[in-house]
Amino acid sequence: DVKVTQSSRYLVKRTGEKVFLECVQDMDHENMFWYRQDPGLGLRLIYFSYDVKMKEKGDIPEGYSVSREKKERFSLILESASTNQTSMYLCASSLVLGKRGNQPQHFGDGTRLSIL
Amino acid sequence: AQKVTQAQTEISVVEKEDVTLDCVYETRDTTYYLFWYKQPPSGELVFLIRRNSFDEQNEISGRYSWNFQKSTSSFNFTITASQVVDSAVYFCALSEQGGKLIFGQGTELSVKP
């Protein structure tokens, strides 16, 4: 079975802290993604990665960075947390098959992050 | 620009009613894929269906059915005889090159007993 694991379900941090959100998948997927989900805005893509050490900016990368040192692990980093980064963060992974986005993404349970 | 619109923010029905969730998309691509995901209160998005742009055949899976109409750029999702366990937020999504997805804003479905 497909499994995407996010390190924490709930996390509370303070403004200015450096925050790490970890995501691990066990399906040997090439693609990995980080989204944030806010009421009324759906899911918005922060960063994604096609392969180890590769990363691409999504729609809202400001204030975030990512790291992918191993194929199965994709980390999201909040360099200096701010209250407007309080949100639900979702990690996903998918296979690459052809050049079109024709493979479903598989999601983790999400991390609800609060910045105080 | 690519876009997915789910005009219904919230829907509330009584158990056993049928309910249709609307999804309208915009794309300039001739080849694309559409998806539906379910997000129950636990938070995880669960993949429900994938449809490619060349296949306009409707699909039925148990109480779920999907109506893809290219002429109106719509990919609607119907739940027949709804149940309380169907209560969730449902997202429609459109594929972009490279495996990215563009999500709609989501429709929160509440099924009351």
Side-chain angles (χ1 to χ4, degrees):
Chain A
D1 247 7
V2 166
K3 190 66 179 173
V4 178
T5 303
Q6 294 183 230
S7 52
S8 308
R9 288 301 303 272
Y10 301 94
L11 205 53
V12 180
K13 296 291 183 181
R14 298 209 171 272
T15 54
E17 279 192 67
K18 191 168 186 175
V19 181
F20 294 85
L21 302 183
E22 306 288 347
C23 175
V24 177
Q25 50 96 1
D26 65 358
M27 299 158 288
D28 203 35
H29 284 173
E30 291 87 353
N31 293 341
M32 294 190 76
F33 307 84
W34 274 107
Y35 296 89
R36 63 177 282 175
Q37 181 180 5
D38 301 287
L41 298 177
L43 276 74
R44 293 180 292 168
L45 182 64
I46 305 171
Y47 266 97
F48 60 102
S49 169
Y50 292 129
D51 204 346
V52 176
K53 296 194 187 294
M54 295 188 69
K55 60 185 179 184
E56 298 280 344
K57 292 181 180 178
D59 300 317
I60 51 165
E62 295 77 20
Y64 303 94
S65 63
V66 290
S67 171
R68 193 160 180 207
E69 296 296 317
K70 293 184 178 181
K71 190 175 185 179
E72 67 271 18
R73 186 179 296 271
F74 192 35
S75 303
L76 179 69
I77 304 156
L78 285 65
E79 298 290 345
S80 178
S82 64
T83 54
N84 63 13
Q85 292 178 308
T86 290
S87 185
M88 167 75 107
Y89 290 87
L90 289 157
C91 175
S93 71
S94 70
L95 271 174
V96 171
L97 193 66
K99 293 183 179 177
R100 302 304 308 170
N102 57 349
Q103 292 303 305
Q105 292 182 15
H106 299 273
F107 285 81
D109 289 342
T111 297
R112 197 167 289 282
L113 175 64
S114 296
I115 307 296
L116 305 179
Chain B
Q2 315 228 87
K3 188 179 176 182
V4 175
T5 302
Q6 294 179 254
Q8 305 147 309
T9 306
E10 297 178 12
I11 300 176
S12 182
V13 299
V14 176
E15 212 171 15
K16 296 184 185 172
E17 280 186 39
D18 298 347
V19 58
T20 295
L21 310 181
D22 298 332
C23 173
V24 174
Y25 63 93
E26 295 174 30
T27 180
R28 287 171 295 191
D29 293 340
T30 53
T31 302
Y32 52 89
Y33 289 77
L34 294 159
F35 301 79
W36 274 96
Y37 284 84
K38 174 182 179 180
Q39 187 180 39
S42 57
E44 179 186 357
L45 266 80
V46 178
F47 164 66
L48 295 178
I49 190 171
R50 172 187 62 212
R51 174 65 67 206
N52 77 54
S53 53
F54 294 109
D55 183 2
E56 289 194 65
Q57 215 171 8
N58 291 335
E59 181 152 341
I60 298 174
S61 175
R63 296 183 298 106
Y64 294 172
S65 62
W66 290 269
N67 184 318
F68 176 34
Q69 293 201 340
K70 217 167 172 178
S71 59
T72 56
S73 297
S74 64
F75 186 42
N76 297 337
F77 172 31
T78 297
I79 302 174
T80 303
S82 59
Q83 300 176 2
V84 172
V85 292
D86 296 327
S87 296
V89 181
Y90 291 86
F91 290 96
C92 179
L94 169 68
S95 65
E96 267 198 308
Q97 194 169 11
K100 293 187 291 179
L101 292 177
I102 299 169
F103 285 86
Q105 301 91 325
T107 297
E108 184 171 3
L109 174 64
S110 176
V111 182
K112 301 190 187 306

